[in-house]
Amino acid sequence: MKMSSMMPDVREVLISSEEIQARIRQIGERITEDYRGERPLLIGVLRGAVVVMGDLMRNIDLPCEIDFMDISSYGSGTSSSGVVRILKDLEEDITGRHVLIVEDIVDTGLTLSYLRRSLLARNPASLEICALVTKPSRRRVEIDVKYLGFEVPDEFVVGYGLDYDGAYRNLPDICVLKPEVFGAGSGG
Ligand code: IMP
């Protein structure tokens, strides 16, 4: 593949797109086994989960549906505010459904823990979490991620849906930016 024009901003590729694709194939196979006979509803958290959702759903060999929610826990900076707001709610009624939350990254866990609680209150038949990346050293609340892609160290990562100040989501690899990139944009 042609090298991305964003690569000069990248200090290090932590997880290559080939590794990501291989892992997503495995996770898709596990989900296919675990939900055999069901019609799961995958719920993506905007906007970061759009990329993993697109690849994951094509690796699940079952009839399934997707829906999206937008919640905000971050401003344009790189640290958690702890404030979670629903900006866009689901279109689907999840009562009695087998729901799988699809997230890009679990950092402090605050976002997912809030989302999990608010979805459980709507009485789904089951509720599990799939996250491509986790930063365990940053966790502030316990969160059970049944389908997990990769662990990364305590670094701010971008690419494969993850942004810094709105950009870099379209990088195919998961990368760490050069320090001089932070603060150079419009935001924090
Ligand atoms: P949490 O509530 O702290 O677990 O944060 C979850 C959200 O913060 C993710 O869905 C991302 O949008 C954002 N986030 C956390 N860490 C990173 C990172 O390293 N890169 C990009 N976004 C991140």
Side-chain angles (χ1 to χ4, degrees):
M1 189 200 257
K2 193 167 138 292
M3 193 167 94
S4 162
S5 63
M6 288 166 276
M7 280 319 260
D9 290 353
V10 168
R11 191 193 80 199
E12 190 187 346
V13 173
L14 285 185
I15 311 166
S16 70
S17 90
E18 292 77 14
E19 292 173 282
I20 296 171
Q21 295 305 326
R23 189 77 186 111
I24 287 186
R25 262 197 304 279
Q26 292 174 341
I27 294 174
E29 283 166 13
R30 262 185 71 201
I31 293 172
T32 303
E33 287 307 311
D34 292 353
Y35 289 86
R36 179 91 50 211
E38 307 293 347
R39 183 186 169 102
L41 173 63
L42 312 186
I43 294 182
V45 184
L46 293 170
R47 290 166 238 174
V50 163
V51 181
V52 54
M53 178 70 101
D55 283 338
L56 180 66
M57 66 187 289
R58 286 177 291 177
N59 282 281
I60 298 175
D61 188 16
L62 294 172
C64 69
E65 293 174 49
I66 62 169
D67 200 351
F68 290 93
M69 252 179 129
D70 195 0
I71 57 183
S72 119
S73 64
Y74 273 58
S76 60
T78 58
S79 65
S80 177
S81 65
V83 179
V84 179
R85 279 188 305 144
I86 294 187
L87 304 177
K88 179 211 169 288
D89 208 336
L90 298 173
E91 306 294 327
E92 302 297 324
D93 176 6
I94 65 167
T95 311
R97 299 294 307 266
H98 291 284
V99 171
L100 180 61
I101 301 176
V102 177
E103 245 299 28
D104 49 5
I105 192 164
V106 195
D107 185 24
T108 63
L110 290 168
T111 309
L112 271 178
S113 123
Y114 170 85
L115 190 61
R116 198 172 164 279
R117 259 181 290 126
S118 80
L119 294 184
L120 275 177
R122 303 179 193 186
N123 298 315
S126 68
L127 181 63
E128 300 292 352
I129 296 172
C130 172
L132 186 65
V133 177
T134 180
K135 282 195 260 185
S137 59
R138 298 250 315 157
R139 200 73 85 250
R140 281 168 59 187
V141 287
E142 207 40 56
I143 192 101
D144 181 22
V145 179
K146 182 163 183 186
Y147 305 100
L148 178 65
F150 303 92
E151 281 189 10
V152 291
D154 181 9
E155 300 248 33
F156 193 81
V157 291
V158 298
Y160 200 77
L162 293 159
D163 75 306
Y164 169 62
D165 208 10
Y168 304 104
R169 293 190 198 276
N170 52 333
L171 268 175
D173 311 302
I174 292 181
C175 305
V176 179
L177 293 172
K178 290 178 183 162
E180 57 266 33
V181 177
F182 296 105
S186 55

